[in-house]
Structure formats: C-alpha cells, structure tokens
C-alpha cells in the first residue's frame, strides 16, 4: 500500500510540470515580443543606415 501512495505522489508531481513549462514559455514569449517591439524601430534605422553606407561606398570611386 505504501508503494501505491508513492506512485500517486510521483504522478501528481509529474503532472505539474507541463503547466509550469507552459507558463514559463508564455512569459518568455511575451518578453521577446515586448523587446522586439521596443527595439524594432532602432534596429530598422541602424540597418537602413548600414545599407546606405554600403551603397555609398560602392558608388564612390
């Protein structure tokens, strides 16, 4: 009977892992979306500036 209780406790602990992982994944996803949204314009402006610099150096003899 003791091993039966141990199996029940073990399976209950295993069942908690999936919601915890889902919550962590959701939080990481929200953080990434917020970071990309906040930094998006800055990154775009730097890429445009970099592309213009490359284009200017190719046309300059």
């Amino acid at each position: 009977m003791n091993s039966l209780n141990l199996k029940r406790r073990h399976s209950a602990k295993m069942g908690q892992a999936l919601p915890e992982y889902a919550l962590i994944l959701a939080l990481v996803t929200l953080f990434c979306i917020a970071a990309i949204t906040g930094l998006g314009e800055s990154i775009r402006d730097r890429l445009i500036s970099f592309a213009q610099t490359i284009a200017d150096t190719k046309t300059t003899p």
Side-chain angles (χ1 to χ4, degrees):
M1 188 81 171
N2 192 13
S3 64
L4 184 59
N5 286 336
L6 184 61
K7 285 183 181 181
R8 285 183 190 162
R9 287 182 190 170
H10 182 68
S11 65
K13 288 181 183 179
M14 293 294 290
Q16 292 175 354
L18 185 60
E20 290 170 357
Y21 286 131
L23 180 61
I24 291 170
L25 180 62
L27 291 173
V28 168
T29 302
L30 288 174
F31 175 78
C32 289
I33 290 171
I36 290 171
T37 302
L39 298 173
E41 288 185 28
S42 175
I43 293 170
R44 183 194 60 194
D45 292 343
R46 286 185 184 201
L47 289 174
I48 289 172
S49 174
F50 181 67
Q52 287 174 346
T53 303
I54 291 174
D56 290 343
T57 57
K58 285 187 176 182
T59 57
T60 305

